[in-house]
Amino acid sequence: MDAPPLPPRYEIRARQTATTVTVYQAYRPAIGLPAARDGRFPDAWKRDRMTWIKPSFLWMMYRCGWGTKEGQEVVLAVEIDRGGLRWALAHAELSNYVRDVHPDQRSWKRSLRTAPARVQWDPERDLDLNPLPYRSLQLGLSGEAARRYADEWTVSVRDVTPLAREVRAAVRAGERERAAALLPVEGPLDLAAPRPVRGGHQAPDI
């Protein structure tokens, strides 16, 4: 039997409904637990700092070590308005200069300073958190985008730390089919973003 074709190298894949998209973040308990309890980010969540959202569950597991890294013990699934994500992508700049996208480095740097969102692409991850040959979106939000994310776009916030632990336990037990079945279903996302969100660079640790 032929192996299924790989996804495109640059493609936004996410759990989604007709009106929302789910992204993932991980926080210390003082932030993550109140957010999950109240369905919104608490006042202690810094709205003047850049925050990074990830539509890929497994990339979030790679980043937070299945919720075991210090300061990332609570993994959140944040359901946001599709229109909000569309706005963020429309106002985003690539984190790295790409010759085929930008006219020159000076104009890219100028745009990066003023853009409220940043697009990065990092290798997607498998169940063992090893890199795959196609990319996953990381989207950095700052300024207006961060405030809108926290106070306007967020529809619900769920604590999915138990799911992270269950998937990790299944992988460690060699129960790969069960682990895969537990994963959120993430399909290609069509937001008709008006700006290109392509670039062949790897996201740094964030």
Side-chain angles (χ1 to χ4, degrees):
M1 182 180 296
D2 293 336
L6 293 176
R9 183 171 173 82
Y10 301 103
E11 178 184 64
I12 303 174
R13 297 170 299 277
R15 179 172 181 167
Q16 57 195 288
T17 70
T19 59
T20 64
V21 178
T22 297
V23 297
Y24 298 94
Q25 296 191 289
Y27 289 99
R28 66 185 190 276
I31 295 292
L33 294 179
R37 181 192 64 215
D38 300 333
R40 65 182 304 274
F41 288 99
D43 292 340
W45 191 87
K46 302 296 184 183
R47 286 156 173 79
D48 57 348
R49 295 178 58 184
M50 179 168 284
T51 190
W52 291 87
I53 59 177
K54 299 96 174 168
S56 166
F57 179 81
L58 282 176
W59 200 94
M60 185 71 257
M61 296 305 99
Y62 162 73
R63 182 65 183 91
C64 71
W66 301 99
T68 63
K69 292 185 179 180
E70 184 177 358
Q72 301 185 62
E73 299 91 345
V74 179
V75 184
L76 299 178
V78 185
E79 196 177 19
I80 63 173
D81 178 73
R82 290 174 72 98
L85 182 58
R86 185 183 300 114
W87 185 94
L89 290 170
H91 292 81
E93 182 54 88
L94 292 171
S95 289
N96 284 36
Y97 170 73
V98 179
R99 182 177 299 175
D100 294 339
V101 175
H102 306 103
D104 53 62
Q105 289 201 22
R106 180 176 298 179
S107 61
W108 163 71
K109 289 179 180 178
R110 183 167 56 248
S111 177
L112 189 65
R113 285 195 298 269
T114 59
R118 295 186 181 185
V119 164
Q120 298 186 161
W121 294 99
D122 194 81
E124 182 60 280
R125 301 284 157 166
D126 63 14
L127 278 170
D128 299 304
L129 306 186
N130 293 319
L132 292 169
Y134 50 92
R135 301 276 170 156
S136 177
L137 173 73
Q138 326 313 321
L139 187 61
L141 308 175
S142 64
E144 181 181 1
R147 293 190 294 272
R148 287 190 175 200
Y149 168 67
D151 300 324
E152 298 177 21
W153 303 340
T154 296
V155 175
S156 69
V157 182
R158 294 180 295 113
D159 182 353
V160 292
T161 313
L163 174 61
R165 291 172 178 164
E166 187 176 4
V167 175
R168 184 192 192 198
V171 172
R172 287 189 163 188
E175 300 172 353
R176 300 185 67 83
E177 289 188 4
R178 186 170 78 87
L182 290 168
L183 296 176
V185 177
E186 297 169 357
L189 188 64
D190 181 10
L191 290 172
R195 284 173 58 108
V197 287
R198 296 178 61 87
H201 55 277
Q202 181 170 331
D205 284 344
I206 50 178

